[in-house]
Amino acid sequence: MNLEKIAILFMLLIVSSSITAQSKKSTTFGIKGGYNKSTVNGTELDGTKTGYIGYELYGSLFSDTELNNEWNFENELLFSYTDNYHFIEIPVHFKRRFLKKCFILLGPKLDFIADNDNDSFERYYRFRNFGVSGELGIQYNISKRFFVETRYSKSFTSQIDDLVLEIYSGKRNTFRIGVGIKF
């Protein structure tokens, strides 16, 4: 991991810690899990657009801090798995209540590809372990402890080259649907 990536992670931790510390309201913790569809969009060597679609499960740990009656701040550490590859994602969401039980969420997401050990199977793949995405979603609170959500993330950085499928400069976008519980 280079110095630029470490600086970005450090800045995100400082911002999230200061927001959480300034809140006079409560912070809850919990877990989420569900199903997502990943779409990798890239180009072939001749410039023709191409891609790949994969389906995977995900799970995460999160903290949710109430800033006031309308705004919340949420940190998350998310793990997803697809076709022998592991992704670690760190979404940071600002959530705004728009109905009594509904929030809209928006924020950046750091994306890490955990597999890149260059074993013989992976000789046809090239990954850039670090990426940045933006995420938008809706969360509905079924009760004080249980909720459902759906989210879409759009990658801003190319992370995947697949020499077998001829996908170059691939960007991974995800659509998620899941459930969560607060403790």
Side-chain angles (χ1 to χ4, degrees):
M1 195 181 292
N2 67 26
L3 189 58
E4 186 177 288
K5 295 172 189 172
I6 292 170
I8 290 171
L9 284 173
F10 185 69
M11 288 173 56
L12 277 174
L13 286 173
I14 289 173
V15 169
S16 66
S17 297
S18 67
I19 289 172
T20 302
Q22 291 176 11
S23 173
K24 295 181 175 115
K25 302 288 183 173
S26 65
T27 298
T28 56
F29 298 91
I31 58 173
K32 297 179 186 182
Y35 185 74
N36 52 266
K37 174 183 171 183
S38 290
T39 306
V40 175
N41 294 311
T43 58
E44 294 178 0
L45 286 176
D46 65 3
T48 304
K49 291 185 179 189
T50 188
Y52 168 80
I53 296 174
Y55 300 93
E56 63 228 24
L57 298 175
Y58 75 93
S60 72
L61 302 171
F62 71 91
S63 70
D64 190 345
T65 302
E66 184 178 309
L67 301 175
N68 60 39
N69 290 335
E70 292 183 7
W71 289 93
N72 284 35
F73 179 75
E74 182 178 80
N75 293 340
E76 189 173 353
L77 179 61
L78 187 143
F79 175 82
S80 66
Y81 173 83
T82 183
D83 296 335
N84 298 319
Y85 296 102
H86 302 86
F87 297 91
I88 299 169
E89 304 169 31
I90 304 173
V92 178
H93 298 135
F94 286 96
K95 296 174 25 177
R96 186 173 195 292
R97 184 182 313 273
F98 68 94
L99 293 173
K100 184 177 179 180
K101 294 185 173 193
C102 289
F103 284 90
I104 188 164
L105 55 95
L106 176 69
K109 181 169 66 81
L110 300 178
D111 303 310
F112 299 92
I113 298 176
D115 304 276
N116 202 3
D117 56 11
N118 297 317
D119 66 16
S120 60
F121 173 74
E122 293 178 353
R123 71 180 174 265
Y124 299 110
Y125 304 90
R126 293 189 195 123
F127 301 115
R128 284 165 286 298
N129 291 60
F130 178 76
V132 178
S133 300
E135 194 161 64
L136 174 67
I138 294 175
Q139 189 177 87
Y140 176 76
N141 293 330
I142 298 168
S143 68
K144 285 190 176 211
R145 293 189 64 204
F146 297 97
F147 62 88
V148 295
E149 69 178 12
T150 185
R151 306 186 321 211
Y152 176 76
S153 72
K154 174 103 174 124
S155 179
F156 301 132
T157 56
S158 298
Q159 278 189 281
I160 300 168
D161 288 332
D162 185 325
L163 307 179
V164 174
L165 297 176
E166 293 189 33
I167 301 171
Y168 299 93
S169 300
K171 295 180 179 180
R172 178 177 170 254
N173 304 320
T174 59
F175 174 76
R176 291 196 163 99
I177 186 161
V179 298
I181 183 170
K182 298 177 185 179
F183 301 112

